[in-house]
mmCIF file of all heavy atoms in Angstrom:
data_model
loop_
_atom_site.group_PDB
_atom_site.id
_atom_site.type_symbol
_atom_site.label_atom_id
_atom_site.label_comp_id
_atom_site.label_asym_id
_atom_site.label_seq_id
_atom_site.Cartn_x
_atom_site.Cartn_y
_atom_site.Cartn_z
ATOM 1 N N ASP A 139 15.443 13.909 -1.421
ATOM 2 C CA ASP A 139 15.178 12.549 -1.890
ATOM 3 C C ASP A 139 13.682 12.328 -2.122
ATOM 4 O O ASP A 139 12.867 12.848 -1.348
ATOM 5 C CB ASP A 139 15.678 11.484 -0.907
ATOM 6 C CG ASP A 139 17.199 11.328 -0.912
ATOM 7 O OD1 ASP A 139 17.878 11.953 -1.766
ATOM 8 O OD2 ASP A 139 17.674 10.579 -0.029
ATOM 9 N N ILE A 140 13.350 11.541 -3.091
ATOM 10 C CA ILE A 140 11.936 11.194 -3.346
ATOM 11 C C ILE A 140 11.515 10.114 -2.361
ATOM 12 O O ILE A 140 12.120 9.041 -2.318
ATOM 13 C CB ILE A 140 11.720 10.752 -4.798
ATOM 14 C CG1 ILE A 140 12.052 11.887 -5.752
ATOM 15 C CG2 ILE A 140 10.273 10.276 -5.003
ATOM 16 C CD1 ILE A 140 12.077 11.476 -7.195
ATOM 17 N N ILE A 141 10.471 10.389 -1.591
ATOM 18 C CA ILE A 141 9.908 9.431 -0.637
ATOM 19 C C ILE A 141 8.733 8.709 -1.271
ATOM 20 O O ILE A 141 8.557 7.518 -1.077
ATOM 21 C CB ILE A 141 9.499 10.135 0.653
ATOM 22 C CG1 ILE A 141 10.746 10.684 1.342
ATOM 23 C CG2 ILE A 141 8.729 9.190 1.554
ATOM 24 C CD1 ILE A 141 10.472 11.499 2.574
ATOM 25 N N ALA A 142 7.927 9.427 -2.031
ATOM 26 C CA ALA A 142 6.719 8.833 -2.641
ATOM 27 C C ALA A 142 6.341 9.634 -3.870
ATOM 28 O O ALA A 142 6.737 10.789 -4.046
ATOM 29 C CB ALA A 142 5.560 8.812 -1.654
ATOM 30 N N THR A 143 5.543 8.995 -4.721
ATOM 31 C CA THR A 143 4.959 9.640 -5.877
ATOM 32 C C THR A 143 3.455 9.597 -5.694
ATOM 33 O O THR A 143 2.883 8.543 -5.300
ATOM 34 C CB THR A 143 5.352 8.968 -7.199
ATOM 35 O OG1 THR A 143 6.779 8.975 -7.306
ATOM 36 C CG2 THR A 143 4.745 9.687 -8.393
ATOM 37 N N ILE A 144 2.782 10.741 -5.954
ATOM 38 C CA ILE A 144 1.325 10.783 -5.883
ATOM 39 C C ILE A 144 0.799 10.885 -7.283
ATOM 40 O O ILE A 144 1.305 11.651 -8.107
ATOM 41 C CB ILE A 144 0.852 12.004 -5.042
ATOM 42 C CG1 ILE A 144 1.462 11.948 -3.644
ATOM 43 C CG2 ILE A 144 -0.678 12.022 -4.974
ATOM 44 C CD1 ILE A 144 1.177 13.187 -2.794
ATOM 45 N N TYR A 145 -0.241 10.104 -7.567
ATOM 46 C CA TYR A 145 -0.904 10.106 -8.885
ATOM 47 C C TYR A 145 -2.354 10.571 -8.724
ATOM 48 O O TYR A 145 -3.006 10.214 -7.761
ATOM 49 C CB TYR A 145 -0.905 8.679 -9.476
ATOM 50 C CG TYR A 145 0.446 8.124 -9.738
ATOM 51 C CD1 TYR A 145 1.185 7.463 -8.774
ATOM 52 C CD2 TYR A 145 1.032 8.290 -11.007
ATOM 53 C CE1 TYR A 145 2.457 6.967 -9.036
ATOM 54 C CE2 TYR A 145 2.295 7.777 -11.277
ATOM 55 C CZ TYR A 145 2.994 7.127 -10.302
ATOM 56 O OH TYR A 145 4.244 6.650 -10.538
ATOM 57 N N SER A 146 -2.802 11.353 -9.667
ATOM 58 C CA SER A 146 -4.192 11.812 -9.683
ATOM 59 C C SER A 146 -4.582 12.259 -11.059
ATOM 60 O O SER A 146 -3.729 12.369 -11.975
ATOM 61 C CB SER A 146 -4.408 12.948 -8.678
ATOM 62 O OG SER A 146 -5.759 13.316 -8.569
ATOM 63 N N SER A 147 -5.851 12.552 -11.237
ATOM 64 C CA SER A 147 -6.343 13.127 -12.489
ATOM 65 C C SER A 147 -6.865 14.527 -12.260
ATOM 66 O O SER A 147 -7.479 15.088 -13.162
ATOM 67 C CB SER A 147 -7.495 12.219 -13.053
ATOM 68 O OG SER A 147 -7.001 10.931 -13.331
ATOM 69 N N ASP A 148 -6.628 15.050 -11.073
ATOM 70 C CA ASP A 148 -7.156 16.353 -10.719
ATOM 71 C C ASP A 148 -6.080 17.178 -10.000
ATOM 72 O O ASP A 148 -5.562 16.785 -8.966
ATOM 73 C CB ASP A 148 -8.355 16.147 -9.770
ATOM 74 C CG ASP A 148 -9.059 17.413 -9.374
ATOM 75 O OD1 ASP A 148 -8.395 18.297 -8.795
ATOM 76 O OD2 ASP A 148 -10.278 17.512 -9.617
ATOM 77 N N GLU A 149 -5.741 18.319 -10.570
ATOM 78 C CA GLU A 149 -4.706 19.185 -10.055
ATOM 79 C C GLU A 149 -4.965 19.640 -8.594
ATOM 80 O O GLU A 149 -4.063 19.668 -7.770
ATOM 81 C CB GLU A 149 -4.559 20.410 -10.954
ATOM 82 C CG GLU A 149 -3.313 21.230 -10.697
ATOM 83 C CD GLU A 149 -2.042 20.536 -11.164
ATOM 84 O OE1 GLU A 149 -2.014 19.980 -12.265
ATOM 85 O OE2 GLU A 149 -1.063 20.566 -10.401
ATOM 86 N N ASN A 150 -6.217 19.990 -8.305
ATOM 87 C CA ASN A 150 -6.537 20.443 -6.961
ATOM 88 C C ASN A 150 -6.421 19.322 -5.933
ATOM 89 O O ASN A 150 -5.947 19.499 -4.839
ATOM 90 C CB ASN A 150 -7.920 21.092 -6.893
ATOM 91 C CG ASN A 150 -7.960 22.415 -7.624
ATOM 92 O OD1 ASN A 150 -6.987 23.178 -7.575
ATOM 93 N ND2 ASN A 150 -9.061 22.665 -8.321
ATOM 94 N N LYS A 151 -6.873 18.130 -6.330
ATOM 95 C CA LYS A 151 -6.825 16.982 -5.427
ATOM 96 C C LYS A 151 -5.381 16.598 -5.121
ATOM 97 O O LYS A 151 -5.046 16.240 -4.005
ATOM 98 C CB LYS A 151 -7.604 15.793 -6.010
ATOM 99 C CG LYS A 151 -9.083 15.978 -5.971
ATOM 100 C CD LYS A 151 -9.794 14.739 -6.535
ATOM 101 C CE LYS A 151 -11.328 14.947 -6.440
ATOM 102 N NZ LYS A 151 -12.038 13.767 -6.942
ATOM 103 N N ILE A 152 -4.553 16.662 -6.114
ATOM 104 C CA ILE A 152 -3.138 16.259 -5.931
ATOM 105 C C ILE A 152 -2.437 17.231 -4.967
ATOM 106 O O ILE A 152 -1.586 16.817 -4.149
ATOM 107 C CB ILE A 152 -2.376 16.057 -7.240
ATOM 108 C CG1 ILE A 152 -1.259 15.066 -7.036
ATOM 109 C CG2 ILE A 152 -1.889 17.356 -7.796
ATOM 110 C CD1 ILE A 152 -0.665 14.521 -8.321
ATOM 111 N N LYS A 153 -2.788 18.501 -5.007
ATOM 112 C CA LYS A 153 -2.202 19.493 -4.109
ATOM 113 C C LYS A 153 -2.571 19.184 -2.657
ATOM 114 O O LYS A 153 -1.722 19.190 -1.780
ATOM 115 C CB LYS A 153 -2.629 20.897 -4.483
ATOM 116 C CG LYS A 153 -1.988 21.443 -5.727
ATOM 117 C CD LYS A 153 -2.494 22.819 -6.086
ATOM 118 C CE LYS A 153 -1.934 23.277 -7.422
ATOM 119 N NZ LYS A 153 -2.513 24.526 -7.827
ATOM 120 N N THR A 154 -3.845 18.874 -2.408
ATOM 121 C CA THR A 154 -4.283 18.517 -1.079
ATOM 122 C C THR A 154 -3.640 17.241 -0.594
ATOM 123 O O THR A 154 -3.172 17.132 0.540
ATOM 124 C CB THR A 154 -5.837 18.370 -1.031
ATOM 125 O OG1 THR A 154 -6.415 19.607 -1.493
ATOM 126 C CG2 THR A 154 -6.324 18.040 0.351
ATOM 127 N N SER A 155 -3.576 16.268 -1.488
ATOM 128 C CA SER A 155 -2.938 14.997 -1.157
ATOM 129 C C SER A 155 -1.483 15.195 -0.800
ATOM 130 O O SER A 155 -0.998 14.619 0.190
ATOM 131 C CB SER A 155 -3.084 14.034 -2.368
ATOM 132 O OG SER A 155 -2.447 12.810 -2.113
ATOM 133 N N HIS A 156 -0.796 15.991 -1.551
ATOM 134 C CA HIS A 156 0.631 16.236 -1.326
ATOM 135 C C HIS A 156 0.868 16.863 0.049
ATOM 136 O O HIS A 156 1.729 16.445 0.808
ATOM 137 C CB HIS A 156 1.200 17.153 -2.427
ATOM 138 C CG HIS A 156 2.659 17.408 -2.287
ATOM 139 N ND1 HIS A 156 3.143 18.515 -1.637
ATOM 140 C CD2 HIS A 156 3.722 16.699 -2.680
ATOM 141 C CE1 HIS A 156 4.453 18.475 -1.658
ATOM 142 N NE2 HIS A 156 4.846 17.374 -2.269
ATOM 143 N N GLN A 157 0.061 17.863 0.389
ATOM 144 C CA GLN A 157 0.211 18.542 1.681
ATOM 145 C C GLN A 157 0.019 17.541 2.803
ATOM 146 O O GLN A 157 0.802 17.518 3.791
ATOM 147 C CB GLN A 157 -0.782 19.683 1.804
ATOM 148 C CG GLN A 157 -0.611 20.500 3.075
ATOM 149 C CD GLN A 157 0.748 21.168 3.186
ATOM 150 O OE1 GLN A 157 1.323 21.632 2.218
ATOM 151 N NE2 GLN A 157 1.300 21.165 4.392
#
Side-chain angles (χ1 to χ4, degrees):
D139 285 354
I140 297 171
I141 294 174
T143 302
I144 304 174
Y145 296 87
S146 185
S147 298
D148 183 302
E149 193 72 44
N150 291 323
K151 288 182 178 181
I152 206 166
K153 287 178 186 174
T154 303
S155 178
H156 182 265
Q157 184 62 38

